Amino acid sequence: MSAHAHRELPPPAYVALKTEVVRAAVELSDEQLMDLADALHSLMRLRRPGRPIGRPDGWLEAESPSFR
């Protein structure tokens, strides 16, 4: 486990969220679906060590090739 604060939705809330995202994705254009996927991927990159999500300059730094 990383040094970051524990983050987790309660399992029923996560299942409901995932179900709704998958349901809504059927209605999205390819561009909208890629935009959503890119936004989630950006959040993952910002969680990498040394790039806390609250730091605006994290978007500007070069990425490490791995999460470790």
Side-chain angles (χ1 to χ4, degrees):
M1 180 128 173
S2 72
H4 294 285
H6 179 72
R7 299 179 190 115
E8 184 174 44
L9 283 176
Y14 174 73
V15 169
L17 174 63
K18 184 176 178 181
T19 299
E20 182 59 20
V21 168
V22 171
R23 186 209 59 77
V26 174
E27 303 296 324
L28 299 177
S29 68
D30 289 348
E31 183 179 335
Q32 290 171 324
L33 187 57
M34 286 302 296
D35 183 61
L36 181 59
D38 288 344
L40 292 170
H41 188 246
S42 292
L43 288 171
M44 289 177 65
R45 287 194 311 264
L46 286 173
R47 286 185 172 195
R48 289 182 180 182
R51 296 183 71 178
I53 200 163
R55 246 184 53 224
D57 62 340
W59 291 93
L60 304 174
E61 296 174 11
E63 287 187 55
S64 167
S66 71
F67 282 101
R68 297 183 193 272

